[in-house]
Amino acid sequence: FNIMEGRIMIKCILISFLLCITFSQMGKGNTNESQIQDIESSIIIRTQEKKYFLVQLLRGLTEEGFYTRFLIVKKNKKTIARIAFPSSEDVKNLSVNINNNNNDCILECNYGGGENFYSRYFYFRCAKGGLYLYKIVGTHFISDSDKKIIKKRYIHPQINIKKINFLYYLENTP
């Protein structure tokens, strides 16, 4: 066993090792999902039918490096909705929170800047095996005049959370 044979053997081992690592990593990238995800908040809603919904507000970075927030809704551990929120380019200074109140899910959105600030409270309830939007409470604050406009809107027919377009309700402010 001479030095030349030892070097060839080490090269073969290194090449084999690198090939194993390369092939084991194939297919693990290039997804459209956020690469880094943090759970900002979670709530659990239990129904009388002994089912439950887990609603999670997440934030993350896309592959392109943009900051994003999205809502994940699970029913009995199965994801039934994944909703991306508008970017800060679409809605100025958007902040989002989730809360629960008596088996309702309340999604709070605050946004605006300068003289005008807005809030929207989206109320969802358990019905027909899903979460449905049934009420929106919107507030418009005008900072220079201390003016506050509050509008309540009941949604008929109620909208399944899978089909909600939050940008529509945020853009159409009072």
Side-chain angles (χ1 to χ4, degrees), residues 123-172:
Y123 290 80
F124 294 88
R125 69 166 48 127
C126 299
K128 303 175 197 166
L131 282 178
Y132 286 82
L133 176 67
Y134 72 94
K135 178 172 69 172
I136 302 172
V137 177
T139 306
H140 178 188
F141 301 97
I142 302 171
S143 62
D144 286 348
S145 68
D146 292 328
K147 189 174 181 181
K148 181 177 176 181
I149 302 166
I150 300 173
K151 289 189 177 184
K152 269 188 196 176
R153 179 177 172 194
Y154 289 90
I155 308 298
H156 293 289
Q158 297 176 1
I159 303 171
N160 190 317
I161 197 165
K162 296 177 195 178
K163 298 179 180 178
I164 189 89
N165 177 359
F166 288 107
L167 185 58
Y168 171 78
Y169 293 103
L170 297 174
E171 285 181 332
N172 293 296

Side-chain angles (χ1 to χ4, degrees), residues 58-72:
L58 291 93
R59 69 172 173 241
L61 292 173
T62 63
E63 284 184 347
E64 295 82 22
F66 296 112
Y67 176 76
T68 186
R69 279 194 168 138
F70 48 96
L71 197 67
I72 301 285

